[in-house]
Amino acid sequence: MTSTPENPQPHLAPKPHPPKAKPRLLLRLVAGAAIGALVGLAVAQSAPPATAAPASSAVTVSGRGEFKDMKFTVDQTTHLTSQAVTVSWTGGTPTTFAGTLFNTDYVQIMQCWGDDDGTVPANPGPSRTQCQYGASPTTDRGGWPGNDYDDSRRVFYSADPTNYGQDNRYGAANPNAPGEVPFKSVDGTVITSNTQNNALFNHNTTNEVDFARSGADGTGKEYVEIQTANEAPHLGCGTPVTTNGVTKPRSCWLVIVPQGHLDLDGKPYADQSQVNAGSPVSSTNWRNRVAIPLHFNSVGANCPLGAEERPTTGSELIADAMTSWQTALCPTGTVYGYTELGEPDARAHLMGDRTTGLAFTTRALGADAGTTAPSGTTTYAPVALSGAVIGFTIERRPEAGAPDSVERLAGTKVESIDLTPRLVAKLLTESYRNSPWGAVINGTAAAHYGWARNNPAGLATDPEFLALNPEFAHLSIAETPSTDTDLLTALGHSDTARALWQWIMSDKEARQFLGGVSDDWGMRVNPYYSTNADVNPAGFVFDPSHTDDYPKSDQWCTIPPGSGGTYKQCMIDFHPYVDDMHAGALHTRRADTLWKSSWDSQANPPTYKTTGP
C-alpha cells in the first residue's frame, strides 16, 4: 500500500508495578474492499499469531489420479489462529464455464475435524462427514456460479448403480434418488437432512470455498479463512485435548477437492449447458481429495477457575498477544485477565477510578483533550510494535471488451492498490454518489444532495483512483453502498482512528477536500463532514485533527431503491459499524459489509435482511 499512517504503538501503563518485558508483536489495521459481485471496503484489525509460524510450516501435497500433475501448497499450517492462509496450486487444467457457471476443472476447499479415516494411506485425512461444506447459498441463487449439487452436500448420480459407491447408504440408491451426506459435529451431533440450512453453520459463517478457478497457465490461488473453535465450535479446532496425559490443541484439516471434466459416472458431461460436477463430498469426487493437517494455537481459557487474577484493559492491538501469553502464564499461577477497551476510554478509567491497575495504551496519560496526567509515578513499558494499513478483498471481473491481458486474469485477486490520503478521506466521509443510497436517482438529486450528483458512484470509478490503478477501468463493478463507497469501521474511540485522521490531515489535498475544495475532477466532500463552517449544514465544523472515532454524520434515510421494502433505512444501516477491528478483518475476508439490503416481507415483523458474503 502507498498509504501508511503513523504507527500507534501500544504501551502498558501499570500502576503501581510494571510487568516483565514482553516480546514484541506486529499488528496491523486492515481495511477491506470487494469489487464486482463481491462487497465493499472495510476497516479492520488483523494480527498474525503471537507465536510466529516457522517458514517450514508451508506444506505442498500432490494430487492423485487424473489430478496427479497438480500440486497444492498451504503457506502456513502451524500456530494457526483465526486468520487467513494462502492456498495455491500448479499443474491444473484451465477452468471452463457454461455461460457464467463454473463447468469443468476447478477447485473446492473446506475445513474438517477428526482423525485419519484410513481411506488414503499415502495422504491421511478426515471423514467427509466431518467437513464444513454445503451451506452456500441457502436462498436466492441468482448470480451464483453453480447448480444445485456442487455447492451442497447433496449427491445425485445420473449413472448406473455401480457408480454410487458408498453414497447408497445416504439415499442415492438409483438415478432418481438424491442422497445427502450427513455432517457430524465434534460434540457428536449429526445432521442428516437439510444440511444446507443446518443450525451449526450457514452461508454467513461458513469458510468453504465452493469455486476456485485455475487460470490459463493451470495455476490458482485462494485466501482461505481458518476458523478456530471460537468461530466454529462444531469443528473444535484449537481446543485443548488430553491424550495419554498430554494436553495439546486439537488439530484439524484443510481439504482440497479438485473437480475435473468428468461426471460422477466417469464419463464426459452429457449436458454442456450446466454444471454437472456434483458435490465434492460425494464418494466419487471424494476419492480425489487432498488433505493437509492444520495445527492451532490453544483456544479457550486454560486458567483454573477461581485463580487470583490481575486485571488488564485497553488497546485491541494487544488482544492476540494477551491471548497467547495467558496460555503460557496460567500453568505458572500468574493469571492476567484482559478486557478490550478503546485506548481513550482505558486512559480515562486508569486516571479515574485508579482500580484498573494495568492498561494498554498508545498515548501517555493526560494526552487527551481536557485531561491531566495524574500525580505520582506512572511507569510505561513497551509491549508491541503496531501499524495501520489499508487492506481489501477484490476479485477481478473484466467488463465486456476488456483487453486479453485483463481477461486472462479473470477471477484472480488483486493483490495491491494505490491510495492517497484524499481517497481514504472520500471513503471515510461517505462522499461517493452511491453512499447515501437513493439520494441521486437517474441524475436527479434529493433536496440538499446536489453535491453528490456529479460525484463518482464509488471508489472504483473515481478518476483519481483510476489514474493510480488503471486496470480498474476494465473491470465490471456493480456499485451499491455495499461495494466500494466507504470503509467498514469499528465503533468507539481508538488511537488507531486518531492516527488515521492525522495522517489524512497531514496531506494538503486531503485537507482542502475536507474544507470543501473539489478535487481535480470536480468531486466534492459530503458537506456533513466538511471542516468549513460555511459548507457544513450541521451547524458546526468537523474537526478530524481531534477525532478518534469514525463518525456517521450524514442523517440521510430512505427506502432503498429496488428493495421492495416499506421501511426506511439510514446511513448507519447502509454502512454499519463492526464491534471491533477483529470483526472487521473477518468480514473483510468474507467480503461481507453486513448491509441488510434484502427486504423480507414474510418475516414477522417484515424486515431487511443481509444477503451474506
Side-chain angles (χ1 to χ4, degrees), residues 137-173:
T138 57
T139 53
D140 178 25
R141 303 185 69 88
W144 192 248
N147 71 7
D148 206 22
Y149 293 93
D150 46 22
D151 55 6
S152 74
R153 303 183 72 87
R154 299 172 63 194
V155 289
F156 181 83
Y157 291 75
S158 299
D160 65 75
T162 60
N163 291 286
Y164 298 150
Q166 297 178 340
D167 292 338
N168 55 2
R169 73 177 67 175
Y170 302 136

Side-chain angles (χ1 to χ4, degrees), residues 423 459-474 477:
L423 285 170
L459 177 72
T461 53
D462 186 338
E464 180 180 5
F465 179 77
L466 291 174
L468 294 168
N469 306 272
E471 80 160 300
F472 281 80
H474 302 292
I477 296 101

Side-chain angles (χ1 to χ4, degrees), residues 366-392:
D368 301 304
T371 66
T372 303
S375 59
T377 301
T378 299
T379 305
Y380 296 88
V383 175
L385 178 65
S386 64
V389 302
I390 304 294
F392 47 87

Side-chain angles (χ1 to χ4, degrees), residues 500-522:
L500 188 59
W501 284 115
Q502 288 189 335
W503 170 72
I504 289 171
M505 293 301 290
S506 70
D507 180 77
K508 179 181 178 181
E509 291 183 337
R511 290 198 306 274
Q512 291 177 335
F513 178 77
L514 292 173
V517 177
S518 301
D519 70 5
D520 297 341
W521 299 270

Side-chain angles (χ1 to χ4, degrees), residues 463-494:
E464 180 180 5
F465 179 77
L466 291 174
L468 294 168
N469 306 272
E471 80 160 300
F472 281 80
H474 302 292
L475 299 183
S476 175
I477 296 101
E479 291 180 303
T480 71
S482 67
T483 51
D484 60 338
T485 63
D486 79 327
L487 298 177
L488 182 63
T489 53
L491 181 65
H493 301 273
S494 71

Side-chain angles (χ1 to χ4, degrees), residues 283-298:
S283 60
T284 305
N285 287 325
W286 191 253
R287 289 200 302 261
N288 300 314
R289 68 105 180 107
V290 173
I292 296 176
L294 301 176
H295 303 283
F296 289 77
N297 286 343
S298 185

Side-chain angles (χ1 to χ4, degrees), residues 426 429-458 461 485 513 518 521-528 535 554 556 571:
K426 292 175 180 180
T429 58
E430 301 174 328
S431 293
Y432 286 108
R433 184 174 70 245
N434 280 341
S435 191
W437 190 234
V440 180
I441 300 178
N442 298 325
T444 301
H448 310 300
Y449 283 84
W451 60 267
R453 182 185 295 110
N454 296 319
N455 282 3
T461 53
T485 63
F513 178 77
S518 301
W521 299 270
M523 180 172 176
R524 300 165 56 190
V525 70
N526 183 333
Y528 284 98
V535 175
D554 193 338
W556 170 256
M571 293 293 272

